[in-house]
Amino acid sequence: MMRIPGTFLVLSALMLSGCHGRGGSTGKAPTPAKGSNLPAIRHVVSLFDHRPWWNADVYGDRDPEGIRFRVFLDDGHEKGVLREGTFHVTMYELTRESDGKVARNLVSDWHYPTRQFPVIDAKIMGKGYHLTLRWARKDLAGKEIELITEFEGIDGQKARSGTKRFSIPKYMS
């Protein structure tokens, strides 16, 4: 009979049981092992509050300088899942041309790893991320915008959300 060292048994038990938690004390997403056989992300769900605006102005005016929203990744097998990868968020300003056509002009784009965002746990949607993004231009208050959120996994596969339109509030100071 072969003797198995106790350290090996303890390490094996830890590896088989896995880690449970919410991404450690930082609240950031855990990093799955590279090369794991996780199902591909099929769809990105972006959920916005009624007033998703973020005010980060040092001058104290009420016009927003950014947006906050929640993102859930759908792999088709379980509620929202956490994955290692990158969020690509693009924001377009919408303007009306003289002929009535809508023009879309890129005004901000963000590219951040998923581990940069706090992890959330929603009862119905599962695990996800809370994104807070500051836009590049201050003059967007009172304008109409479109936001698109895309997730790119470490394997290069991409999935995106639907397009969301907003009118950014403009306050009279």
Side-chain angles (χ1 to χ4, degrees), residues 13 58 60-61 77 111 113 121 135 158:
V58 295
D61 71 20
H77 297 286
H111 310 278
D121 194 354
W135 41 71
K158 296 179 180 181

Side-chain angles (χ1 to χ4, degrees), residues 89-164:
V89 182
T90 51
M91 183 171 83
Y92 298 91
E93 178 184 358
L94 303 178
T95 56
R96 306 262 182 236
E97 302 290 330
S98 58
D99 61 0
K101 292 184 180 177
V102 175
R104 296 172 76 223
N105 302 306
L106 180 66
V107 291
S108 285
D109 62 333
W110 300 271
H111 310 278
Y112 292 112
T114 54
R115 69 180 171 274
Q116 181 141 348
F117 297 104
V119 171
I120 56 176
D121 194 354
K123 191 173 190 175
I124 295 173
M125 296 298 295
K127 293 188 184 296
Y129 303 89
H130 190 255
L131 279 62
T132 300
L133 303 172
R134 185 174 185 160
W135 41 71
R137 291 180 20 202
K138 173 67 177 153
D139 66 344
L140 291 171
K143 307 283 174 87
E144 188 176 6
I145 60 165
E146 281 185 350
L147 271 176
I148 302 167
T149 305
E150 182 179 65
F151 170 76
E152 180 178 5
I154 58 173
D155 58 1
Q157 290 189 353
K158 296 179 180 181
R160 61 167 280 195
S161 69
T163 302
K164 180 68 175 172

